DNA sequence: GCCAACGTTGGC
DNA sequence: GCCAACGTTGGC
């Protein structure tokens, strides 16, 4: 899951109550569908810092709730406000994410250097999705290298 | 700040 | 339903 560290960094998430933050602001249908349909409480999350000086995996987290409507879509003062969404027909769903660990920064070049990750969605050319699935093999590879 | 890549919008 | 125009993402 990508987060801009200027918005919510791994440190911010770890400092939050119960180390848990609601994953607000996703306004892409594919990314929403991953949260709404594919995630289960307890699933592992790679916490990725994007749009910053050093993009890369900065920590580990886990899915901490079932999906529920993103409250920012109803808030006219929020930058994530969606006038087409109503409380009876929410358009954007999210999950809570509990940060479990700050890791060393595993940078994009390092990720690209690992052949086991050559098919990883987040590394594909032109990828803009803020949430992408990780295969068990990719997960194992990354955890192993994070410990080095 | 640039720009490639991609998603969304809206007229037809 | 097509597709051009436009907006956004995100690495560099």
């Amino acid at each position: 899951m990508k987060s801009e560290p200027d918005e919510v960094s791994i440190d911010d998430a770890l400092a939050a109550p119960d180390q848990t933050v609601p994953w607000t602001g996703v306004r892409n249908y594919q990314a929403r569908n991953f949260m709404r349909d594919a995630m289960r409480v307890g699933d592992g999350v790679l916490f990725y810092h994007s749009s910053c000086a050093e993009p890369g995996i900065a920590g580990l987290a886990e899915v901490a709730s079932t999906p529920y409507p993103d409250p920012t879509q109803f808030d006219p003062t929020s930058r994530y406000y969606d006038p087409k969404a109503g409380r009876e027909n929410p358009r954007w769903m999210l999950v809570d994410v509990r940060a479990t660990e700050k890791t060393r920064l595993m940078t994009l070049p390092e990720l690209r250097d690992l052949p086991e990750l050559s098919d990883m969605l987040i590394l594909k050319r032109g990828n803009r999705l803020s949430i992408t699935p990780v295969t068990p093999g990719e997960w194992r590879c990354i955890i192993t290298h994070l410990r080095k």
Side-chain angles (χ1 to χ4, degrees), chain A residues 42-139:
Chain A
D43 281 353
V45 171
L46 301 171
F47 199 108
Y48 180 94
H49 283 174
S50 73
S51 291
C52 56
E54 276 199 301
I57 295 168
L60 300 177
E62 63 184 20
V63 175
S65 79
T66 51
Y68 63 95
D70 181 342
T72 63
Q73 71 191 302
F74 309 126
D75 177 3
T77 68
S78 168
R79 56 182 285 218
Y80 300 122
Y81 177 60
D82 183 348
K84 293 178 183 164
R87 295 198 179 265
E88 285 71 39
N89 59 328
R91 177 177 292 206
W92 306 109
M93 305 289 283
L94 53 66
V95 295
D96 291 339
V97 173
R98 177 181 300 119
T100 51
E101 179 185 348
K102 181 178 186 175
T103 63
R104 73 178 180 86
L105 184 70
M106 196 167 169
T107 65
L108 252 193
E110 184 179 356
L111 293 167
R112 292 195 193 286
D113 267 352
L114 294 168
E116 302 97 306
L117 303 181
S118 58
D119 290 331
M120 199 173 177
L121 287 177
I122 202 176
L123 302 178
K124 289 272 165 93
R125 195 168 69 113
N127 166 60
R128 287 171 34 188
L129 265 185
S130 63
I131 299 175
T132 46
V134 178
T135 68
E138 290 162 353
W139 178 272

